[in-house]
Amino acid sequence: SVASLLVPTTSFAFVALFVVILSDYYGNCEWSWPDQLCYVGTFPIFGSFDTNSYVFLVFWTSSILWFGLLVAGQGGQMSNMFRLHAPLHSSKYVHVVVEEQREVISSGYSRILGAWRKMMQMACKLFGAADSAGGMFGRSGGQSQTVPLRYSASFGASFIEFRCARYVLDASDGQGGFVQYDPTSALKCGYAGFQRLLEAGGLRTTDGETGNFPSADSIYRLSGPNNIPFEVDSWGTAVGEEFSTFFFLYQFSIYAVCIWFSYWHYTIIAVTVAAFSGLFNAQVRLAAQREIRAMMEV
């Protein structure tokens, strides 16, 4: 709870400090649009341009590092920094990493792709990230996700759900690994087994097992629901994920310098264009998600 409160508080503190720096830089200006624009104020807070510039330099560097950390740690990954490693039987979350090999498909040899591949190989060796999943230097398509570990009292086992599949914690395994239950494995009893199942009237819903066959409810609880969960994002989620990228971080870090350094009357136009483009992209994303949901409901 402390960490979840610290992140937004620190972010708002950086925004408030930027407002204070701008108020000092343009303090006591006479605003008259457009023939008499104010470029530099009297610095009523910090006293001089040198002090104001030093404060802005520290603020600008620190804010880029802070918001860059937020962008890199989005999707729940930052919460792992405030969690402790624990055994599976006593943990609440499980960090799942899927490693997938990088593949580059090209119709012919490209010197640019060849040079890029050599550069990436050197970077992997330098940072020791050749075997990491996902990321710029990791394996392409690799995914890393933190999922909650849930316990079901109905079948007395813990499980996680990852990529629309349920993995049950195997208590018989000494290392406590996860096993994906195959619902068809319980039905592979040969022709004679199916004959016994048909004679018994098929699988029972919940009342125990039919011969060597588990009940339908037991199969459902172990394998999970046979669906792909898909929900349309809210407007706030779509906008937040649209602007939480390194591209917008780069844009607004440059705009911050321009607004501070007497170019606010030009930069406001660029900020407006960037903001409207981000909102438009978020709207396009929501429209596409609604179309996907409509096709899934048909």
Side-chain angles (χ1 to χ4, degrees):
S1 59
V2 176
S4 61
L5 181 62
L6 179 63
V7 171
T9 302
T10 306
S11 302
F12 284 120
F14 275 113
V15 176
L17 179 59
F18 185 53
V19 173
V20 171
I21 294 174
L22 293 181
S23 301
D24 178 69
Y25 193 90
Y26 296 103
N28 299 323
C29 274
E30 296 182 359
W31 305 97
S32 179
W33 185 275
D35 53 347
Q36 296 179 3
L37 296 179
C38 179
Y39 292 96
V40 180
T42 59
F43 305 100
I45 300 176
F46 298 110
S48 64
F49 172 79
D50 292 340
T51 305
N52 183 281
S53 61
Y54 293 150
V55 174
F56 176 78
L57 178 61
V58 174
F59 153 79
W60 188 76
T61 306
S62 303
S63 62
I64 290 179
L65 294 176
W66 171 254
F67 288 107
L69 180 63
L70 294 183
V71 172
Q74 62 181 339
Q77 300 302 320
M78 177 169 287
S79 301
N80 294 338
M81 300 179 182
F82 302 94
R83 295 186 175 124
L84 299 176
H85 291 278
L88 285 175
H89 65 273
S90 61
S91 62
K92 295 182 179 180
Y93 296 91
V94 176
H95 187 64
V96 183
V97 177
V98 178
E99 297 183 353
E100 297 173 342
Q101 188 62 39
R102 181 186 301 272
E103 295 292 342
V104 179
I105 301 177
S106 177
S107 59
Y109 177 77
S110 174
R111 293 183 178 179
I112 298 178
L113 289 178
W116 174 258
R117 182 178 302 176
K118 292 181 180 179
M119 185 179 66
M120 295 301 294
Q121 290 176 353
M122 293 177 58
C124 288
K125 294 180 180 180
L126 179 62
F127 294 100
D131 296 328
S132 61
M136 178 178 295
F137 302 113
R139 299 183 178 183
S140 178
Q143 185 177 3
S144 175
Q145 183 179 358
T146 302
V147 295
L149 179 64
R150 303 172 184 173
Y151 177 79
S152 177
S154 59
F155 58 92
S158 301
F159 66 92
I160 62 173
E161 292 184 353
F162 178 73
R163 287 185 174 181
C164 306
R166 178 172 293 184
Y167 299 87
V168 180
L169 180 61
D170 188 5
S172 62
D173 188 356
Q175 298 180 353
F178 287 92
V179 177
Q180 184 179 8
Y181 180 76
D182 184 7
T184 63
S185 62
L187 304 178
K188 295 177 181 178
C189 298
Y191 177 77
F194 276 107
Q195 285 294 330
R196 294 194 306 269
L197 181 62
L198 292 176
E199 292 174 358
L203 293 175
R204 295 292 184 265
T205 304
T206 56
D207 298 332
E209 298 183 353
T210 304
N212 295 326
F213 298 95
S215 64
D217 182 66
S218 176
I219 295 177
Y220 174 81
R221 286 185 276 106
L222 289 174
S223 60
N226 185 22
N227 62 5
I228 300 177
F230 181 81
E231 298 291 338
V232 178
D233 294 333
S234 63
W235 175 255
T237 301
V239 173
E241 293 184 357
E242 176 65 28
F243 286 99
S244 298
T245 60
F246 286 106
F247 175 73
F248 277 104
L249 176 62
Y250 163 76
Q251 274 192 308
F252 288 111
S253 61
I254 299 301
Y255 293 158
V257 176
C258 295
I259 292 176
W260 170 77
F261 201 50
S262 302
Y263 291 100
W264 62 267
H265 45 291
Y266 297 118
T267 311
I268 286 179
I269 301 175
V271 171
T272 304
V273 172
F276 274 104
S277 65
L279 295 176
F280 178 76
N281 291 337
Q283 181 60 34
V284 171
R285 169 182 173 177
L286 291 176
Q289 290 182 352
R290 295 188 186 100
E291 291 292 334
I292 295 175
R293 185 182 64 178
M295 290 187 295
M296 295 176 64
E297 292 176 349
V298 174

